[in-house]
Amino acid sequence: MNHGTALLWKRRALSSLSATRRGLPKEKMSENGVSSRAKVLTIDTMNPTVKKVEYAVRGPIVQRALELERELSQGMKKPFVEVIKANIGDAHAMGQQPITFFRQVLALCSYPELLNDTTFPEDAKSRARRILQSCGGYSMGSYSASQGIESVRQDVARYIERRDDGVPCDPDDIYLTTGASDGIVTVLKLLVCGEGAARTGVMISIPQYPLYSAALAELSAVQINYYLNEETCWSMDISELQRALDEARRHCNPRALCIINPGNPTGQVQSRQCIEDVIRFAAKERLFLMADEVYQDNVYADSCKFHSFKKVLFDMGPEYSNTVELVSFHSTSKCYMGECGFRGGYMEIINMDDEVKAQLTKLVSVRLCPPVPGQALMDLVVNPPQTGEPSYDKFIKERTATLSALAEKATLTEQVLNTVQGISCNPVQGAMYSFPRITIPEKAIKEATDNGQQPDMFYCMKLLEETGICLVPGSGFGQKDGTYHFRMTILPPKDKLTILLNKVKEFHQKFTQQYS
Amino acid sequence: MSQQAVNGVPCRGKVLTLDNMNPNVRRVEYAVRGVIVQRALQIEKELKEGVKKPFTEVIKANIGDAHAMGQKPITFLRQVLALCSYPDLLEDNKFPEDAKQRARRILQACGGHSIGAYSASQGIECIRQDVARYIEKRDGGISSNPDNIYLSTGASDAIVTMLKLLVCGEGRDRTGVMISIPQYPLYSAALADLAAVQISYYLDEDKCWSLDVAELKRAINAARQHCNPRVLCIINPGNPTGQVQSRQCIEDVIRFAKEEHLFLMADEVYQDNVYAEGCKFHSFKKVLFEMGAEYSSTVEMASFHSTSKCYMGECGFRGGYMEVINMDPEVKAQLTKLVSVRLCPPVPGQALLDLVVNPPQPDEPSYNTFMKERTAVLAALSEKAGLTEKIFNTVPGIICNPVQGAMYTFPRITLPQKAIDKAKEEGLVPDMFYCMRLLEEEGICLVPGSGFGQREGTFHFRMTILPPTEKLKIVLQKIRDYHMRFTQEFS
């Protein structure tokens, strides 16, 4: 064929393509009749799954809270002098102090000249040296191995073994991550596949931490809701898991079960029996278990204890411990550390297929490595000062103070909220939040619905405008139809929390009165 | 689905297997940390265990990790980071006042005055303001709106986020994304993960890896047969090729993007790494605005920067940002929402970025040391760039383009037919075969050109120019000797 003919064919082929596919811009008529081009990237031409993503913890109510803060700082008069951001589990932002030892080691790692400084204790220096020795060029500025610094993973494995009374942990099953969120999203990414009725379904509690719903929306996975039982302190019920699963099997391929323990937003600490039941259920129904345990040190109620999924799994014997595929997640953002900004975390992989594990290792390599300061911090969390070390006393004092303050505030919260007619608050057994149920009068529900708002969003927005207190409506986490809740952190310092709780109480009474 | 176990008891297959996992993830490859690096790590372990090798250490010239290769951090940056980590040090008179002042400013912008607090998801506001001012200074005063700045977990994070927003459609309407060959394999990996269509455009090796609009046109026209091209990615200065595109070229690319209605992604993480006389970094944003309102108010663009390269080399901190230009406001709201799900980029990395865009000024105490260190790092890189090109070009069968910028050399290697045949026998791509042998014989770890893409029938490797000069000389000589040996053996 000659060149001319080829060109002609090419032109014809191109002209048979739609305008969109030829890349020609869609012509738009603007108001003055002059045509202008539409943008390349618009709400209609963007990834549709991203549009389905919601994350209430930093959603519209928080955006309004930030607006109010700006207005306040510009001198506008409000019925309050500050916005209290009780929407997010950010301990330091609410005044919790970092653990001295951790920050000393991080400073030493950042600027190793300080190793010559006599004001730093020897145990801090020895940990800093050890971390630096595992970094390329003795610098935190080097990329680490993609799975995380090896000596840190070894320390994590030892921590897990100690925590779980000697159940062995292989450092090679540990992946350090950019916060727990990173690990959770990565594992979901591996799991989700299939088309139509074979699309992967993932079970998650209602209420849930909305990272899960957001990730599932983005991956176009099917979200399978199982309801926690509010009447029995948000406990899990196998018959409810069964119901959810059986129903889901009609329209998707359920493959994973996510559980958050201690719970977010609900704060329940599941019993050992419950955890066994869940493991048994996962084994029977062939589900990949994802155990989000980032609040494992945040247990307050006397009757409650944290049982790690891994330990329970291994206590159940080889029939389960050799077969059930489990990933558990931890983080430096919660517990007594509250180091959210460092984005430190890890996941432990149990019984994963070797070939899939190789794929996981490959996948995490594309993003090079998790932030090294976060890895260093994780090392200290799993390898804190020991008895006899110079920093031990102070470390224990600070840790105990933080955890007991949280325990006190957990009780205070439950107590005060339960004095309010129309608010019913389950015990805050663990984690950092209360998720009380609120009764909203019919008139308010109607006004909300007329405004196109969820009733609990309507409630929370009013609370924000009138008191400056920012909470997250229960609709952001999921709840049984016809019920309403909000999530509030227990993080503000006790005095401030007391004021907050009383303001919420007053608001609720006023609101109920107003809409009666 | 059950399998027979050894003892005859039926055992069940796993829930998650290679066959039922996300197929997109299986397609992902990332050569920079791929098979050859895994072998290098194995060899390192063997060395440690006392196994005898023809070498005493493995030199990892596969990855742009400056500190790992001995480059020193900038003192000022680390002083401020230490002060931010442990504010008690603000009382310590060992620290200069300018470091303390920056630390205080950063801490004041943090919740509870702690870098342990989550920041705003888009990044700490005053840092975004500093980034905007930096961009304005860099670009001769062209204004930058802090609200268009998104801090990120390294540049990789922002690049993946943008691609995520852009990729949609089914079948022949699937989004196509143009990327250079050779390219930094984050792009190919991300496109595989997102099941986007990768549209390769070839850089011209004979013209020092320059970009040719005719080639862009060829690539896009071919692509239109089977996908919906919407994005054009360009890395400048280039990785792995090191070319610094001319201003004319950048204008041509912008014009092309406008004509063909493409979203431009400009990866500029090596913007301070420019060595060659006659080369200069021209930011896409600046060129765009200098082309006048017809372009500057219409072309949609995102440009990316990072704390991992340039003179800082702070890879482990995962600091970065992107600036979005002319983004549809509704899409921007979606972007803001999307980044909120991961809460925020690491705050130490944000702090570090703040110092990069707001370094010591001439009247400040740390200025002299800062400039001295910065100049030393960049001068060393420049020297090593020249040295690398020189030495490689003395080797028959290696042709090395000038390393105009960035941190890598991507020389073309001639492989004898017998070697190509042997590689095939062993099931290896020829340049992987070459690089694996080099690793086993000399302990030098490079990445084969096939990991980045190259014209059919050509072979390359990527080597960093990061080892200290004396070590680099030795590495270059060893590669020269190896190449001649290899050529001889397979002749």
Side-chain angles (χ1 to χ4, degrees):
Chain A
M1 161 189 333
N2 68 35
H3 185 60
T5 311
L7 276 179
L8 190 62
W9 284 27
K10 212 181 264 179
R11 235 179 259 136
R12 277 206 202 115
L14 277 175
S15 68
S16 73
L17 300 175
S18 69
T20 314
R21 292 196 26 249
R22 281 155 74 201
L24 294 179
K26 284 200 173 79
E27 294 295 329
K28 267 189 353 185
M29 295 307 278
S30 70
E31 275 172 2
N32 61 6
V34 175
S35 71
S36 68
R37 286 167 60 164
K39 286 191 185 276
V40 177
L41 183 57
T42 67
I43 202 85
D44 296 319
T45 63
M46 68 175 277
N47 182 343
T49 66
V50 171
K51 286 193 283 193
K52 295 208 262 287
V53 166
E54 295 301 334
Y55 184 66
V57 174
R58 282 210 153 164
I61 196 162
V62 182
Q63 286 166 359
R64 179 61 187 147
L66 294 168
E67 227 169 49
L68 287 170
E69 267 184 332
R70 267 194 287 273
E71 291 175 8
L72 272 174
S73 75
Q74 285 158 6
M76 262 181 91
K77 281 266 156 278
K78 300 271 171 200
F80 47 85
V81 296
E82 68 167 326
V83 172
I84 298 176
K85 304 234 258 312
N87 57 296
I88 186 168
D90 190 348
H92 291 196
M94 291 285 107
Q96 183 177 304
Q97 294 305 302
I99 300 291
T100 302
F101 183 74
F102 294 165
R103 295 308 193 84
Q104 287 176 328
V105 179
L106 287 164
L108 289 163
C109 288
S110 300
Y111 188 51
E113 291 250 333
L114 292 170
L115 289 164
N116 301 321
D117 187 320
T118 52
T119 58
F120 286 87
E122 209 32 64
D123 49 3
K125 291 183 176 184
S126 97
R127 284 195 187 43
R129 281 192 199 99
R130 184 158 174 278
I131 289 166
L132 290 172
Q133 250 147 38
S134 349
C135 294
Y138 300 120
S139 166
M140 283 213 296
S142 293
Y143 288 123
S144 75
S146 300
Q147 201 171 330
I149 293 171
E150 187 168 12
S151 66
V152 176
R153 292 188 290 110
Q154 288 165 355
D155 289 351
V156 169
R158 276 194 282 268
Y159 160 85
I160 292 173
E161 286 178 350
R162 276 195 315 267
R163 181 197 68 190
D164 294 346
D165 286 334
V167 174
C169 178
D170 183 351
D172 206 49
D173 291 339
I174 305 297
Y175 287 71
L176 304 189
T177 55
T178 306
S181 298
D182 177 31
I184 291 163
V185 169
T186 297
V187 174
L188 286 172
K189 199 186 270 197
L190 289 176
L191 279 158
V192 175
C193 62
E195 303 293 323
R199 190 71 180 164
T200 298
V202 177
M203 301 184 74
I204 180 63
S205 55
I206 293 300
Q208 47 104 35
Y209 172 54
L211 164 71
Y212 290 89
S213 47
L216 297 176
E218 201 196 305
L219 292 167
S220 290
V222 178
Q223 180 174 332
I224 304 168
N225 296 331
Y226 64 87
Y227 288 83
L228 300 177
N229 190 341
E230 185 159 18
E231 317 299 312
T232 52
C233 200
W234 301 112
S235 64
M236 266 174 97
D237 188 355
I238 296 301
S239 60
E240 167 56 16
L241 289 182
Q242 195 72 61
R243 177 211 63 77
L245 182 71
D246 291 341
E247 203 250 23
R249 284 217 160 99
R250 295 198 233 125
H251 61 90
C252 72
N253 179 19
R255 303 181 65 210
L257 168 52
C258 300
I259 175 166
I260 309 170
N261 184 55
N264 178 3
T266 49
Q268 90 286 354
V269 178
Q270 299 296 357
S271 69
R272 198 209 151 84
Q273 183 60 53
C274 168
I275 294 172
E276 272 191 36
D277 292 345
V278 169
I279 291 171
R280 210 166 274 120
F281 178 79
K284 175 171 141 257
E285 302 291 347
R286 290 181 53 68
L287 299 170
F288 191 105
L289 250 181
M290 292 173 62
D292 182 340
E293 299 178 325
V294 303
Y295 297 100
Q296 55 191 265
D297 294 343
N298 300 112
V299 176
Y300 315 124
D302 280 329
S303 55
C304 293
K305 187 168 177 273
F306 170 72
H307 301 280
S308 88
F309 261 80
K310 173 151 179 233
K311 178 165 201 293
V312 175
L313 176 68
F314 274 71
D315 287 346
M316 288 167 73
E319 180 198 350
Y320 292 95
S321 62
N322 283 345
T323 61
V324 174
E325 291 149 71
L326 165 70
V327 180
S328 47
F329 304 92
H330 196 20
S331 161
T332 58
S333 302
K334 311 298 178 190
C335 296
Y336 63 92
M337 303 83 73
E339 296 282 11
C340 308
F342 278 82
R343 316 312 286 112
Y346 76 73
M347 58 183 174
E348 182 183 13
I349 316 277
I350 310 290
N351 293 323
M352 182 177 271
D353 176 283
D354 289 336
E355 289 181 300
V356 175
K357 193 157 175 292
Q359 291 289 321
L360 168 62
T361 303
K362 179 191 71 173
L363 185 61
V364 301
S365 80
V366 180
R367 300 296 290 272
L368 290 147
C369 71
V372 175
Q375 297 189 46
L377 183 55
M378 180 55 86
D379 194 49
L380 304 172
V381 170
V382 299
N383 191 14
Q386 295 301 301
T387 326
E389 289 191 296
S391 303
Y392 178 76
D393 287 342
K394 187 167 196 188
F395 169 76
I396 291 295
K397 185 158 164 254
E398 290 175 349
R399 181 181 192 272
T400 306
T402 294
L403 290 174
S404 60
L406 284 167
E408 197 183 355
K409 292 185 289 183
T411 310
L412 177 69
T413 298
E414 180 198 345
Q415 209 187 57
V416 175
L417 289 176
N418 277 327
T419 65
V420 187
Q421 194 113 351
I423 297 187
S424 166
C425 185
N426 266 321
V428 177
Q429 295 179 336
M432 291 178 172
Y433 317 95
S434 76
F435 195 70
R437 181 161 168 189
I438 50 177
T439 306
I440 299 184
E442 269 310 310
K443 274 200 186 151
I445 295 175
K446 182 166 190 310
E447 186 170 326
T449 317
D450 287 345
N451 284 335
Q453 255 184 340
Q454 291 284 348
D456 48 19
M457 174 64 91
F458 176 72
Y459 175 99
C460 289
M461 278 294 199
K462 277 202 161 242
L463 174 69
L464 174 63
E465 302 284 344
E466 290 178 26
T467 67
I469 298 167
C470 182
L471 312 178
V472 190
S475 44
F477 303 86
Q479 57 205 345
K480 275 212 172 32
D481 253 339
T483 67
Y484 307 106
H485 302 77
F486 59 72
R487 188 187 81 164
M488 188 185 91
T489 72
I490 59 169
L491 296 174
K494 183 161 166 231
D495 294 340
K496 196 169 234 174
L497 182 65
T498 308
I499 295 170
L500 216 118
L501 290 165
N502 283 312
K503 288 198 176 201
V504 171
K505 176 173 177 167
E506 276 163 27
F507 169 82
H508 189 89
Q509 289 164 340
K510 220 175 82 214
F511 182 90
T512 304
Q513 177 82 334
Q514 186 186 344
Y515 288 95
S516 64
Chain B
M1 262 215 265
S2 67
Q3 306 169 343
Q4 288 298 313
V6 170
N7 59 7
V9 175
C11 74
R12 295 159 70 175
K14 290 204 185 264
V15 176
L16 182 57
T17 67
L18 210 56
D19 296 322
N20 65 21
M21 68 173 277
N22 182 341
N24 295 337
V25 172
R26 288 182 63 180
R27 286 196 280 270
V28 166
E29 295 301 334
Y30 183 67
V32 175
R33 281 209 153 165
V35 175
I36 196 162
V37 182
Q38 285 164 3
R39 178 60 188 147
L41 292 168
Q42 220 171 40
I43 294 175
E44 266 183 333
K45 274 205 204 33
E46 291 173 13
L47 274 173
K48 217 188 226 167
E49 289 158 14
V51 179
K52 281 265 159 275
K53 301 268 172 198
F55 47 84
T56 52
E57 67 167 326
V58 173
I59 297 174
K60 304 234 258 314
N62 58 296
I63 187 170
D65 190 348
H67 291 197
M69 292 285 107
Q71 182 177 305
K72 293 293 174 223
I74 300 292
T75 302
F76 182 75
L77 304 184
R78 295 305 193 88
Q79 286 176 330
V80 180
L81 286 166
L83 289 162
C84 289
S85 299
Y86 188 50
D88 272 30
L89 293 171
L90 289 164
E91 311 301 315
D92 188 326
N93 51 27
K94 272 200 300 294
F95 288 87
E97 207 36 58
D98 49 3
K100 291 185 177 183
Q101 185 242 33
R102 281 192 187 47
R104 280 192 201 100
R105 186 160 172 280
I106 290 167
L107 288 172
Q108 247 146 43
C110 294
H113 299 135
S114 164
I115 54 173
Y118 287 123
S119 77
S121 301
Q122 201 171 330
I124 293 171
E125 187 167 13
C126 73
I127 297 180
R128 293 187 288 109
Q129 288 165 354
D130 289 351
V131 169
R133 272 193 285 267
Y134 160 85
I135 292 172
E136 286 176 351
K137 278 199 307 271
R138 180 197 69 190
D139 293 346
I142 293 165
S143 72
S144 172
N145 183 348
D147 206 49
N148 289 334
I149 306 297
Y150 287 74
L151 305 191
S152 54
T153 307
S156 299
D157 175 31
I159 289 164
V160 169
T161 297
M162 269 319 307
L163 288 173
K164 207 182 264 194
L165 285 176
L166 282 157
V167 175
C168 61
E170 303 292 324
R172 296 171 77 200
D173 281 325
R174 192 70 179 165
T175 297
V177 177
M178 301 185 74
I179 180 65
S180 54
I181 294 299
Q183 47 103 37
Y184 172 54
L186 165 72
Y187 290 89
S188 46
L191 297 177
D193 192 356
L194 293 167
V197 178
Q198 179 176 330
I199 303 169
S200 299
Y201 63 87
Y202 289 82
L203 300 177
D204 191 341
E205 185 160 18
D206 297 331
K207 300 215 186 85
C208 201
W209 302 112
S210 64
L211 214 164
D212 186 359
V213 178
E215 166 58 16
L216 291 181
K217 272 210 162 54
R218 177 211 62 77
I220 204 173
N221 287 337
R224 286 219 162 95
Q225 313 285 332
H226 60 89
C227 72
N228 180 18
R230 301 179 67 214
V231 191
L232 168 52
C233 299
I234 176 164
I235 309 171
N236 184 53
N239 178 3
T241 49
Q243 89 285 357
V244 178
Q245 300 295 357
S246 69
R247 199 213 151 82
Q248 183 61 53
C249 168
I250 293 172
E251 271 192 36
D252 292 345
V253 169
I254 292 171
R255 207 165 277 121
F256 176 81
K258 181 164 160 62
E259 273 162 20
E260 303 290 345
H261 210 228
L262 301 170
F263 190 106
L264 248 181
M265 287 175 59
D267 181 340
E268 301 178 322
V269 303
Y270 297 99
Q271 54 190 265
D272 294 343
N273 299 113
V274 176
Y275 316 122
E277 290 282 330
C279 287
K280 188 168 177 271
F281 170 72
H282 302 280
S283 87
F284 262 80
K285 168 137 183 249
K286 181 169 200 282
V287 177
L288 176 68
F289 274 71
E290 288 173 350
M291 288 168 74
E294 183 199 347
Y295 291 90
S296 62
S297 57
T298 61
V299 175
E300 292 149 72
M301 192 174 95
S303 47
F304 305 90
H305 197 18
S306 161
T307 59
S308 302
K309 312 299 178 188
C310 295
Y311 64 90
M312 303 83 71
E314 297 282 10
C315 308
F317 279 83
R318 314 315 284 114
Y321 75 75
M322 69 171 165
E323 182 182 21
V324 301
I325 311 291
N326 293 323
M327 183 176 273
D328 178 289
E330 283 184 300
V331 174
K332 195 161 175 295
Q334 292 289 320
L335 167 61
T336 302
K337 179 190 73 174
L338 184 61
V339 300
S340 79
V341 179
R342 301 296 290 272
L343 289 147
C344 70
V347 176
Q350 295 189 46
L352 182 55
L353 183 68
D354 192 46
L355 306 171
V356 169
V357 298
N358 190 16
Q361 295 303 298
D363 57 339
E364 292 188 294
S366 303
Y367 179 74
N368 287 338
T369 305
F370 171 78
M371 285 309 289
K372 187 156 162 256
E373 291 174 347
R374 182 181 190 273
T375 305
V377 168
L378 291 174
L381 285 168
S382 184
E383 189 187 358
K384 292 186 286 183
L387 176 71
T388 299
E389 180 198 344
K390 206 176 79 172
I391 292 188
F392 275 149
N393 279 326
T394 66
V395 188
I398 298 187
I399 303 174
C400 186
N401 265 320
V403 178
Q404 293 179 338
M407 291 177 173
Y408 316 95
T409 173
F410 196 69
R412 182 161 167 188
I413 50 178
T414 306
L415 300 180
Q417 190 56 49
K418 282 201 182 146
I420 296 172
D421 296 338
K422 185 85 186 352
K424 210 170 262 177
E425 253 174 63
E426 297 194 4
L428 286 176
V429 180
D431 48 20
M432 175 65 88
F433 175 70
Y434 176 96
C435 290
M436 277 294 201
R437 270 191 161 228
L438 174 64
L439 174 61
E440 302 285 345
E441 290 181 22
E442 300 290 348
I444 297 167
C445 181
L446 311 178
V447 189
S450 43
F452 302 86
Q454 57 203 345
R455 276 196 190 281
E456 255 322 309
T458 66
F459 307 107
H460 303 76
F461 60 73
R462 187 188 82 164
M463 187 188 89
T464 71
I465 59 168
L466 295 174
T469 306
E470 288 317 305
K471 193 170 238 175
L472 182 65
K473 280 191 187 144
I474 295 170
V475 170
L476 292 166
Q477 278 153 17
K478 289 194 178 209
I479 295 175
R480 179 172 63 193
D481 295 343
Y482 168 79
H483 188 88
M484 298 196 300
R485 243 177 23 238
F486 183 93
T487 304
Q488 177 80 336
E489 182 188 339
F490 290 99
S491 61

